[in-house]
């Protein structure tokens, strides 16, 4: 019977979550507490009360599987793998590769593994509510923990409840952080006393009870073990209690004493069970004859309630397993692992055999180290970076030569960083760095150090490490050094204005210039990109323009399918933006999007969504831009982060000013936490848009003043700053900006910039006839630009000028044209400005506009609604927002109810109401 003492609040929380899942709403709960606090008892209680109407998936993690990537996920999903064919091909292939069911040369993307797991788990709940229980989740491998946390965050309207039990994490990344938690602490004195009474049927002295409860602090496991360990005389008070009462780490010694009192055969069976990570009884019985035990040896272990052998071998508590394994002599452990290696070979378990061989070795052994190295490569290829790291670390320990030891330890650190374990990676890297090898080794140390810095949200520190690596390696291998500099360039771009001293794009440029490509060496596309970026920072945009265009063209023509293509495309997007070439940016951004989509590459896709969304925003395709920014935000949420800059930019252009003001501090907070300073200029651009659309020219100018240098990524705002400067009484600043815009348009004579230049000249012209000529010219150029935004702004500013010239009819025509364009694209702030000007020429506000509805939708509901309006099916929406189909359907039904519509057609007619609270 599963009897709980004093867990009223915990039981209430669990029951409430179960009830929600029965009604189709998913629930997630992390039970967090110290060893023996009662987390497992709560899981057993939950399993018991859910048994009648829930399907139950359960996995109990064990320490020995911590270093086997995807092991926990595989164990949890193994009964449901027959449903793999129902998943989209990329997700199915990623899961198959992760579970060793399919071989490929490239590791699977963990994000795709997560989407596949989400699909399988959500599908299992179609017919019956599903309860997923993960006990001792702190022992889960990094890959499984990351994937299951991803699933937990993306479930919403699915009849699924996920419950994890875990200890507090003090090492590396806690993937479960941020999920709903329930702290599990010791029992109060009354409940602890009742539990102790239930364990001691007679003769428990009240003072002894009090002392035990106080000493154990109500820890249930400590109470139970104290009752088992203490003699009847001690419990009755006729013999003194030991001081201190056994608890905490001392429990291991309690278990070890209990084990040592058992027959030799039983101790060997226990040790074999503790050393076998599969917990498979078949392995146990195959090893028995070679180690001197048979099934009868299990009787004493089960009689003492140390372990049970059913479908799996399970210890009563992880501390027992730990005590058995580490309490055995090293030679005995090695013997057991050696036999288990033979059993694994008999069963065809190649990887397991190698792991046991590694554990059996007690002295350096190059043959075993080589086998471990090969196994690490196989583990890496299926995405098991944690397993690869542990295999390489063991291979390093068994390597006889210091060079092999250092090389393998370094690879272990790199694999651990990819797995998402920065502290473990740093410890391995420090050990590898202690073996001061040649320059190439030291350079690789710096590159891994940079990866660790990126993992911990320090792009500036990553840039510094990469620059140090390139400078050290340059004299020996300039080719590799320049490849490293391209990595540094990307990191410096991310840091933006927050780049620390010595880690800016200028620092990268100076290093590139100090490491020129030797004469006669063929330049790669990466070299062309590097030289172009270097020229901008050291020589200025005018001198670098031809190199920037060469770099853009080189990337356009590049046919490489390697991962470096993503870096080149991202850099080329930045170069096109510096040149103000909107059409080329659009082309490159969408190629990046296509390439990332075809290769299922998550990080490049995040970059692609940012660039494509910005390109569509500045064209005036606000609906498409918002959908792309939505996907980018959903991608970041699925990865456990938040990204608000896209929502801020769209809110500014939509005229949702209160929403924008709410988002601004969130953007600043995210920027400060991650070091992603590139976002700050876009935040200031959003402020400029808000102020300019409200006619607050002084504030608009100050928002972006001084941020239009050669490398600026908002060149499209130059003409807006000219307008703000003119209308806030800053003629000299306006002329200076006009000069910048004129030089830029001379370098890049595309219709967008030529139109911007004509509008800026009109704004600064003293003579009315000259001004009008330039206004007309601006509109003509902007008629040839992709998207309506620039054209609408030129009509608007021209109409306002005409009104001030008292040419009422002409002004009315231009302002009405501007209003209709802004209204059609959903740019409410600028539409309101045009309407106010229109009213000033003696007319009422023009028909056609709809005031925005109340922000009744949640951000997620608004994202779903926008994709639905765009024609996406529920399954397509689920794929784009990384949700289950159930969740999409739930959100869409809520959207229909809130906006009082009955179909997608009606929803499209109310698209102006699709705003979030």
């Amino acid at each position: 019977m599963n009897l709980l003492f004093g867990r009223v609040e915990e039981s209430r929380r669990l029951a409430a979550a179960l009830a929600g899942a029965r009604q189709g709403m998913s629930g997630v709960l992390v039970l967090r507490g110290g060893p023996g606090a009662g987390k497992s008892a709560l899981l057993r209680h939950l399993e018991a009360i859910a048994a009648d109407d829930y399907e139950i998936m359960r996995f109990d993690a064990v320490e020995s599987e911590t270093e086997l990537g995807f092991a926990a996920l595989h164990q949890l999903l193994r009964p449901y793998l027959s449903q793999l064919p129902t998943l989209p091909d990329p997700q199915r292939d990623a899961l198959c590769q992760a579970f060793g069911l399919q071989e490929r040369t490239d590791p699977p993307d963990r994000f795709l593994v997560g989407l596949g797991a989400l699909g399988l788990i959500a599908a299992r709940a179609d017919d019956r509510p599903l309860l997923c229980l993960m006990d001792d989740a702190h022992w889960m491998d990094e890959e499984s923990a990351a994937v299951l946390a991803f699933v937990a965050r993306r479930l919403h309207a699915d009849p699924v409840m996920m419950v994890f039990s875990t200890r507090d994490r003090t090492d590396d990344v806690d993937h479960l952080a941020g999920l709903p938690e329930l702290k599990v602490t010791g029992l109060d004195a009354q409940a602890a006393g009742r539990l102790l009474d239930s364990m001691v049927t007679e003769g428990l002295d009240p003072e002894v009870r009090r002392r035990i409860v106080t000493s154990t602090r109500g820890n249930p496991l400590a109470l139970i073990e104290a009752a088992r360990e203490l003699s009847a005389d001690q419990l009755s008070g006729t013999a003194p209690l030991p001081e201190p009462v056994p608890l905490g780490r001392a429990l291991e010694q309690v278990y070890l004493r209990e084990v040592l009192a058992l027959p030799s055969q039983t101790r060997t069976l226990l040790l074999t069970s503790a050393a076998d990570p599969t917990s498979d009884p078949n392995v146990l019985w195959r090893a028995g004859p070679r180690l001197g035990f048979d099934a009868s040896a299990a009787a004493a272990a089960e009689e003492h309630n140390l372990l049970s052998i059913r479908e799996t071998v399970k210890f009563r508590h992880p501390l027992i397993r730990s005590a058995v394994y580490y309490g055995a002599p090293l030679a005995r452990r090695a013997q057991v692992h050696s036999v288990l290696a033979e059993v694994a070979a008999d069963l065809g378990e190649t990887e397991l055999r190698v792991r046991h061989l590694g554990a059996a070795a007690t002295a350096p052994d190059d043959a075993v180290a080589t086998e471990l190295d090969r196994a690490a490569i196989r583990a890496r290829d299926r995405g098991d970076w944690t397993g690869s790291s542990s295999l390489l670390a063991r291979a390093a320990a068994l390597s006889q030569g210091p060079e092999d030891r250092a090389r393998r330890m370094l690879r272990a650190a790199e694999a651990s960083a990819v797995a998402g374990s920065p502290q473990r990676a740093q410890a391995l890297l420090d050990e590898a760095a202690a073996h001061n090898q040649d320059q190439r080794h030291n350079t690789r140390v710096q590159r891994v150090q940079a990866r660790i810095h990126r993992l911990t949200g320090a792009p500036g520190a990553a840039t510094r490490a990469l620059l140090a690596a390139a400078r050290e390696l340059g004299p020996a291998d300039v080719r590799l050094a320049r490849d490293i500099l391209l990595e540094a360039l990307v990191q410096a771009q991310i840091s933006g204005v927050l780049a620390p001293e010595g880690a800016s794009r200028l620092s990268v440029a100076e290093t590139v210039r100090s490491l020129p490509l030797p004469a006669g060496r063929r330049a790669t596309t990466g070299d062309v990109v590097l030289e172009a970026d270097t020229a901008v920072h050291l020589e200025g945009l005018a001198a670098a323009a031809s190199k920037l265009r060469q770099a853009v063209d080189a990337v356009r023509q590049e046919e490489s399918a390697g991962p470096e293509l993503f870096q080149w495309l991202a850099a080329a997007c930045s170069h096109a933006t510096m040149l103000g070439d909107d059409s080329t940016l659009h082309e490159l951004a969408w190629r990046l999007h296509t390439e990332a989509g075809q290769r299922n590459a998550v990080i490049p896709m995040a970059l692609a969504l940012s660039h494509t969304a910005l390109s569509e925003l500045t064209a005036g395709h606000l609906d498409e831009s918002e959908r792309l920014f939505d996907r980018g935000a959903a991608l970041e949420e699925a990865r456990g982060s938040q990204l608000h800059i896209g929502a801020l930019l769209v809110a500014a252009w939509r005229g949702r000013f209160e929403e924008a003001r709410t988002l601004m501090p969130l953007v600043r907070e995210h920027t400060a936490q991650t070091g992603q300073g590139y976002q700050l200029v876009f935040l200031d651009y959003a402020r400029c848009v808000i102020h300019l659309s409200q006619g607050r020219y002084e504030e608009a100018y100050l928002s972006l003043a001084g941020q239009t240098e050669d490398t600026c990524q908002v060149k499209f705002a130059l003409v807006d700053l000219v307008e703000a400067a003119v209308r806030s009484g800053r003629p000299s600043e306006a002329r200076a900006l006009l000069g910048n815009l004129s030089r830029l348009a001379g370098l890049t004579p595309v219709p967008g910039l030529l139109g911007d230049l004509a509008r800026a000249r009109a704004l600064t012209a003293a003579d009315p006839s000259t001004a009008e000529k330039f206004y007309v010219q601006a509109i003509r150029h902007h008629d040839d630009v992709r998207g309506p935004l620039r054209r609408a702004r030129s009509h608007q500013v021209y109409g306002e000028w005409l009104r001030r010239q008292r040419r009422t009819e002409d002004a009315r025509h231009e302002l009405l044209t501007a209003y209709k364009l802004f209204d059609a694209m959903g740019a409410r702030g600028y539409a309101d400005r045009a309407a106010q000007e229109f009213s000033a020429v003696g007319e009422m506000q023009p028909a056609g506009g709809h005031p925005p509805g109340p922000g009744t939708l949640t951000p997620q509901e608004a994202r779903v609604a926008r994709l639905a309006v765009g024609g996406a099916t529920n399954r397509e929406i689920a794929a784009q927002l990384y949700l289950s189909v159930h969740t999409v359907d739930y959100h869409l039904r809520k959207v229909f109810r809130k906006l009082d519509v009955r179909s997608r057609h009606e929803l499209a007619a109310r698209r102006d109401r699709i705003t979030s609270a």
Side-chain angles (χ1 to χ4, degrees):
M1 183 178 68
N2 185 40
L3 186 62
L4 289 178
F5 294 90
R7 298 298 190 187
V8 176
E9 177 58 22
E10 292 89 339
S11 298
R12 185 195 65 77
R13 286 277 302 275
L14 292 170
L18 271 182
R22 286 191 185 96
Q23 296 166 10
M25 296 301 297
S26 62
V28 178
L29 200 57
V30 177
L31 307 181
R32 196 178 291 273
K39 305 181 297 295
S40 297
L42 285 167
L43 289 188
R44 290 192 296 271
H45 169 72
L46 185 60
E47 188 172 4
I49 63 176
D52 291 339
D53 51 355
Y54 273 79
E55 180 175 352
I56 296 174
M57 300 169 67
R58 176 162 183 150
F59 175 73
D60 297 344
V62 294
E63 185 177 6
S64 57
E65 294 187 351
T66 303
E67 297 181 345
L68 299 176
F70 297 113
L73 185 69
H74 189 202
Q75 292 291 331
L76 186 70
L77 297 181
R78 186 164 54 184
Y80 313 104
L81 295 185
S82 61
Q83 295 185 14
L84 280 172
T86 65
L87 296 175
D89 290 350
Q91 299 173 24
R92 181 198 63 221
D93 291 346
L95 273 178
C96 286
Q97 192 179 353
F99 295 161
L101 305 175
Q102 177 178 306
E103 291 188 7
R104 291 180 63 181
T105 55
D106 296 327
D109 190 289
R110 191 185 295 176
F111 196 75
L112 285 175
V113 176
L115 288 175
L118 173 64
L120 281 184
I121 288 174
R124 290 304 304 175
D126 281 344
D127 300 323
R128 190 180 183 197
L130 183 64
L131 175 61
C132 300
L133 302 174
M134 278 69 66
D135 200 4
D136 289 319
H138 48 277
W139 294 132
M140 286 198 297
D141 58 275
E142 291 289 339
E143 286 81 3
S144 295
V147 167
L148 289 172
F150 167 88
V151 172
R153 289 186 175 94
R154 303 318 287 169
L155 288 168
H156 184 71
D158 300 88
V160 177
M161 182 178 177
M162 297 183 74
V163 185
F164 303 84
S165 80
T166 185
R167 299 177 193 170
D168 289 317
R169 290 288 296 267
T170 57
D171 59 326
D172 281 342
V173 177
D174 185 355
H175 295 284
L176 302 181
L179 294 174
E181 281 192 5
L182 178 60
K183 288 286 187 182
V184 182
T185 59
L187 301 173
D188 61 37
Q190 184 178 11
R194 289 168 53 210
L195 172 58
L196 196 56
D197 287 341
S198 72
M199 297 298 300
V200 182
T201 55
E202 60 182 28
L204 179 60
D205 180 77
E207 178 58 22
V208 170
R209 179 195 297 110
R210 186 194 65 76
R211 285 190 58 193
I212 293 175
V213 169
T214 301
S215 298
T216 60
R217 297 182 182 178
N219 182 283
L221 178 61
L223 287 165
I224 292 169
E225 296 306 323
R228 287 174 173 159
E229 172 74 3
L230 297 174
S231 68
D233 287 343
Q234 289 171 326
L235 291 170
S236 65
T238 58
L241 288 175
E243 186 61 39
V245 175
L247 76 156
R249 290 176 179 259
L251 283 174
E252 288 198 20
Q253 294 304 311
V254 172
Y255 293 135
L256 185 56
R257 286 197 300 272
E258 192 171 356
V259 169
L260 291 175
L262 296 173
S264 172
Q265 286 191 14
T266 302
R267 295 200 305 272
T268 303
L269 178 144
L270 287 169
L271 177 58
T272 307
S273 301
D276 173 31
T278 70
S279 300
D280 184 352
N282 184 38
V283 171
L284 195 62
W285 304 136
R286 282 176 176 265
R290 308 179 207 195
L291 289 169
F293 68 83
D294 56 25
S296 64
E302 291 195 322
E303 180 182 342
H304 284 74
N305 195 23
L306 294 172
L307 91 171
S308 62
I309 304 176
R310 301 293 182 271
E311 293 82 9
T312 62
V313 180
K314 185 175 181 180
F315 283 88
R316 185 178 85 238
H317 193 275
L319 286 178
I320 302 175
R321 185 176 203 145
S322 177
V324 167
Y325 186 81
Y326 293 107
L330 176 62
R332 188 60 171 159
R333 293 204 306 265
Q335 179 191 17
V336 168
H337 279 296
S338 181
V339 169
L340 287 173
E342 296 173 5
V343 173
D346 293 343
L347 295 173
E349 297 287 349
T350 305
E351 306 300 320
L352 198 56
R353 169 188 166 274
V354 175
R355 285 184 176 277
H356 283 305
L357 284 179
T362 57
D365 187 326
D366 277 340
V368 175
T370 299
E371 285 208 59
L372 287 164
D373 198 318
R374 291 170 182 162
I377 294 172
R378 293 192 294 271
R380 178 204 65 193
D381 288 346
R382 62 175 180 272
D384 177 7
W385 293 100
T386 298
S388 182
S389 177
S390 68
L391 288 163
L392 285 166
R394 185 58 182 158
L398 296 178
S399 300
Q400 292 185 335
E403 291 185 3
D404 287 340
R405 187 178 305 118
R407 175 175 52 82
R408 284 165 173 157
M409 194 64 72
L410 181 58
R411 289 168 55 209
E414 185 174 22
S416 199
V418 177
S421 303
Q423 289 188 19
R424 174 173 166 78
Q426 189 65 62
L428 292 168
L429 185 64
D430 290 344
E431 190 168 346
H435 299 275
N436 193 9
Q437 302 290 315
D438 56 17
Q439 285 180 322
R440 189 174 295 273
H441 175 79
N442 296 337
T443 298
R444 288 194 62 197
V445 167
Q446 292 291 344
R447 292 185 84 173
V448 176
Q449 186 66 71
R451 185 184 287 273
I452 294 171
H453 286 317
R454 291 200 298 270
L455 193 61
T456 55
T463 305
R464 273 208 192 101
L466 291 167
L467 290 177
R471 291 175 187 134
E472 181 173 352
L473 184 65
D477 189 342
V478 72
R479 171 70 279 146
L480 181 55
R482 288 172 69 89
D483 290 342
I484 293 171
L485 287 173
L486 195 58
E487 286 184 54
L489 173 60
V490 173
Q491 292 304 307
Q493 287 176 338
I494 292 172
S495 297
V497 297
L498 296 182
E501 185 177 355
S504 66
R505 292 177 73 174
L506 176 60
S507 306
V508 177
E510 291 170 344
T511 308
V512 172
R513 189 58 57 88
S514 71
L515 295 172
L517 200 64
R521 180 77 66 90
R522 187 183 69 83
T524 66
T525 298
D527 288 318
V528 178
V529 167
L530 272 179
E531 291 300 333
D533 209 76
T534 297
V536 174
H537 288 87
L538 298 184
E539 301 165 20
L541 183 61
S546 62
K547 290 185 177 180
L548 287 172
R549 284 192 289 270
Q550 288 172 10
V552 167
D553 289 340
V555 175
R556 273 175 164 161
Q557 297 163 17
E558 181 58 57
E559 296 180 355
S560 167
E564 65 275 3
L565 178 61
F566 293 129
Q567 290 183 333
W568 298 341
L569 282 166
C573 285
S574 174
H575 292 167
T577 306
M578 288 184 206
L579 290 168
D581 191 344
D582 57 314
S583 59
T584 299
L585 171 63
H586 179 261
E587 173 195 339
L588 292 168
W590 279 103
R591 182 181 174 192
L592 179 58
H593 185 280
T594 301
E595 296 282 353
Q598 288 176 347
R599 303 184 205 181
N600 300 304
V602 175
I603 302 301
M605 178 56 78
L607 279 172
L609 289 169
S610 176
H611 284 300
T612 52
L614 187 63
S615 174
E616 299 301 338
L617 181 84
T618 56
H621 300 149
L622 300 191
D623 288 347
E624 178 66 8
S625 176
E626 192 162 25
R627 283 192 287 269
L628 290 164
F629 276 132
D630 282 347
R631 287 187 60 195
L635 180 57
E636 285 304 306
E637 285 181 11
R639 294 169 62 204
S641 182
Q642 296 288 327
L643 188 64
H644 302 286
I645 189 65
L648 171 60
L649 288 167
V650 171
W653 269 103
R654 292 286 197 197
R656 303 197 298 253
F657 301 138
E658 286 304 316
E659 179 184 342
R661 292 187 183 97
T662 300
L663 289 168
M664 286 179 185
L666 298 178
V667 171
R668 290 193 181 279
E669 180 181 353
H670 181 265
T671 300
Q673 289 174 346
T674 62
Q676 295 178 9
Y678 79 92
Q679 296 184 44
L680 294 178
V681 69
F682 292 107
L683 184 152
D684 290 336
Y685 170 67
R687 291 172 55 222
C688 182
V689 169
I690 292 171
H691 295 319
L692 204 56
S693 64
Q694 294 177 319
R696 295 159 56 186
Y697 301 110
E698 176 78 10
E699 293 96 325
Y701 176 79
L702 293 175
S703 294
L704 274 176
Q707 298 192 58
T708 56
E709 69 283 353
D710 286 350
T711 59
C712 174
Q713 294 292 296
V714 289
K715 295 290 176 60
F716 45 80
L718 271 171
V719 65
D720 295 328
L721 276 181
V722 172
E723 177 187 355
V726 167
R727 295 190 174 176
S728 62
R730 298 171 180 268
S732 60
E733 289 89 338
R735 285 192 296 272
L737 288 163
L738 174 61
N740 292 342
L741 188 51
S742 178
R743 286 187 290 274
L744 184 62
L747 297 172
T748 313
V750 295
L753 279 180
L754 292 174
D756 288 354
L757 177 60
R759 191 202 305 165
R761 285 173 170 166
L763 283 161
T764 55
D767 177 62
S769 63
T770 302
E772 182 157 24
K773 178 186 72 172
F774 283 129
Y775 278 127
V776 172
Q777 192 179 102
I779 291 170
R780 187 168 63 247
H781 280 304
H782 285 159
D783 279 340
D784 294 332
V785 172
R786 188 183 67 87
L789 190 147
R790 279 180 154 115
R791 184 167 73 254
R793 288 282 285 125
S794 288
H795 280 292
Q796 178 182 44
V797 178
Y798 182 30
E800 292 172 350
W801 180 83
L802 287 168
R803 185 179 77 79
R804 286 161 180 76
Q805 297 297 313
R806 301 185 184 282
R807 292 168 54 181
T808 303
E809 287 302 319
D810 292 338
R812 184 181 295 120
H813 175 267
E814 295 299 323
L815 290 168
L816 183 58
T817 300
Y819 176 85
K820 288 181 177 179
L821 287 170
F822 286 130
D823 185 60
M825 73 177 81
R828 173 56 47 194
Y830 278 107
D832 287 345
R833 173 174 152 179
Q836 291 169 8
E837 288 281 340
F838 194 92
S839 298
V841 294
E843 296 287 343
M844 297 294 290
Q845 180 171 326
H850 301 285
T856 57
L857 303 182
T858 67
Q860 193 71 281
E861 290 166 357
R863 291 173 193 164
V864 169
R866 285 190 285 265
L867 286 172
V869 166
T873 66
N874 282 13
R875 188 167 293 278
E876 290 169 340
I877 295 171
Q880 292 188 48
L881 297 184
Y882 317 106
L883 301 169
S884 70
V885 176
H886 287 296
T887 296
V888 170
D889 181 65
Y890 169 80
H891 284 315
L892 204 51
R893 282 187 276 112
K894 287 187 69 178
V895 168
F896 279 23
R897 185 171 67 253
K898 288 182 176 183
L899 300 187
D900 192 25
V901 298
R902 298 182 180 180
S903 67
R904 292 182 179 228
H905 178 75
E906 289 184 24
L907 180 62
R910 305 290 295 278
R911 70 175 65 208
D912 60 296
R913 295 280 306 278
I914 302 176
T915 62
S916 58

